[in-house]
Amino acid sequence: MRVTEHIEVTDQMKRDLASDGAIVVRGLFTREQLTRVRESFDYGIAHPSPQHGMAYAGTDDEHFNDYGNPENREVHLATIKELGLADFVAALWDSEHVWFLGEELFIKKGGKAGRSPWHQDTAYMPANGPHLLNIWISFEKLPRKNVLEIVRGSHRGTEYNGTSYSDATDHTKPLWLETDWPRLPDIEAERANDPTSWDVISWDLEPGDALVFHSGALHGGAPVTPDCPDRHTLVFRFFGDQLFYRPLPTGPVDFSYDISGLNDPSLTPGEPYHPSYFAQLR
């Protein structure tokens, strides 16, 4: 069964996603559909990409992470097509076309792995625009304090430098070493001093619910704690007609692998960004 057979995309959902950069979709997946999504997740864990690993290895923040494995693309695409997720995404944007950007997998367990850093996915890709989103799916019941957080409206604001993911004591350590993109703010320090300093949104989640948010929104968090010790999460990423080429900074980068070659000199900034190596779903 396709998700659009039991989920109606409303005008309110479209407005909230466009303005806030994030919505929660209650019951996006039935129990049977969530089982199907879990099969994709389990396959990805059993067949990791070469860049998989433990983020912040050896620290209390250590957790498994893997993303964008081309060897597993057809497995994920089969799930996406079976569930009709492209039609759901297209309806949120009123986009004629939808492409699959890739997947990401997380495992945090043992009640210790802390917050993932605040960041924008667009700091790691040479494109931005209104039609770019993540569907964040966890398989456990999660209280709000253990769910990903999003800064409301930040997808329409400042483009920040990325985090290098190389320093568990400083989540703002820059990804790009030579850029005019400003360094990530220390959002957690500012919130500790003033809980109202950032307009952060999040929700409690039941199995089958999903967070849907713009990839360029500032997002982070989702720790595990003794009362919520394990979290298994699969993220599906999509883009639509209104995604545009925006080159990444050039020069040295502090990251686990080289992303400086993602720029395409054949494209002009502002030109539609729809590379043929991404799977077009509709």
Side-chain angles (χ1 to χ4, degrees), residues 2-4 9 14 17 84-99 131 133 135 212 238-242 281-282:
R2 301 163 69 84
V3 297
T4 48
V9 174
K14 296 178 188 180
L17 180 61
L85 285 175
D87 290 339
F88 168 72
V89 170
L92 285 170
W93 292 326
D94 293 323
S95 180
E96 180 179 359
H97 304 106
V98 173
W99 290 261
H131 293 177
L133 66 73
I135 300 180
V212 177
F238 302 90
F239 64 91
D241 293 328
Q242 294 184 43
L281 297 169
R282 53 169 287 160

Side-chain angles (χ1 to χ4, degrees), residues 23-253:
I23 58 174
V24 61
V25 183
R26 301 294 185 193
L28 178 60
F29 304 105
T30 66
R31 181 179 301 178
E32 293 75 19
Q33 290 171 335
L34 191 62
T35 297
R36 183 69 179 89
V37 176
R38 184 60 189 252
E39 291 172 359
S40 265
F41 176 86
D42 289 342
Y43 186 91
I45 295 299
H47 302 85
S49 71
Q51 67 261 25
H52 83 282
M54 301 302 293
Y56 302 119
T59 73
D60 284 346
D61 288 339
E62 179 178 278
H63 61 276
F64 177 87
N65 179 231
D66 195 14
Y67 49 91
N69 187 351
E71 298 299 322
N72 295 344
R73 184 170 70 164
E74 293 305 317
V75 172
H76 296 307
L77 284 173
T79 299
I80 289 165
K81 291 174 181 178
E82 181 179 325
L83 300 182
L85 285 175
D87 290 339
F88 168 72
V89 170
L92 285 170
W93 292 326
D94 293 323
S95 180
E96 180 179 359
H97 304 106
V98 173
W99 290 261
F100 177 53
L101 182 59
E103 84 290 346
E104 188 161 13
L105 300 90
F106 299 91
I107 298 177
K108 290 187 176 183
K109 60 184 181 180
K112 292 196 306 179
R115 295 183 59 90
S116 297
W118 287 99
H119 67 285
Q120 296 160 299
D121 293 346
T122 46
Y124 306 82
M125 61 180 295
N128 206 340
H131 293 177
L132 184 63
L133 66 73
N134 298 355
I135 300 180
W136 194 91
I137 310 153
S138 286
F139 303 96
E140 294 84 10
K141 176 183 174 70
L142 300 176
R144 180 176 176 178
K145 66 184 177 62
N146 298 104
V147 175
L148 197 72
E149 296 181 316
I150 299 98
V151 175
R152 191 193 312 268
S154 54
H155 63 302
R156 297 181 286 110
T158 302
E159 179 85 63
Y160 290 101
N161 201 330
T163 174
S164 69
Y165 290 96
S166 64
D167 188 344
T169 65
D170 182 6
H171 287 176
T172 73
K173 187 177 180 184
L175 167 74
W176 299 101
L177 304 182
E178 297 176 3
T179 179
D180 57 359
W181 290 357
R183 184 170 180 148
L184 282 162
D186 192 342
I187 294 176
E188 287 311 288
E190 293 180 27
R191 292 174 77 193
N193 184 57
D194 177 6
T196 66
S197 58
W198 291 84
D199 186 5
V200 172
I201 53 178
S202 189
W203 297 268
D204 298 323
L205 295 182
E206 296 284 341
D209 296 343
L211 292 182
V212 177
F213 63 95
H214 190 286
S215 312
L218 280 164
H219 58 281
V224 291
T225 49
D227 60 331
C228 183
D230 300 303
R231 178 174 64 80
H232 300 74
T233 303
L234 173 61
V235 181
F236 286 141
R237 295 194 174 104
F238 302 90
F239 64 91
D241 293 328
Q242 294 184 43
L243 183 70
F244 306 105
Y245 180 61
R246 188 271 290 120
L248 290 167
T250 56
V253 61

Side-chain angles (χ1 to χ4, degrees), residues 3-19:
V3 297
T4 48
E5 293 180 23
H6 67 276
I7 294 292
E8 178 188 2
V9 174
T10 66
D11 288 341
Q12 189 66 54
M13 291 165 67
K14 296 178 188 180
R15 288 193 297 267
D16 289 347
L17 180 61
S19 62

Side-chain angles (χ1 to χ4, degrees), residues 254-277:
D254 181 7
F255 201 46
S256 56
Y257 72 102
D258 186 12
I259 59 175
S260 61
L262 294 177
N263 287 337
D264 186 342
S266 71
L267 296 178
T268 301
E271 187 175 344
Y273 184 74
H274 305 139
S276 59
Y277 48 82

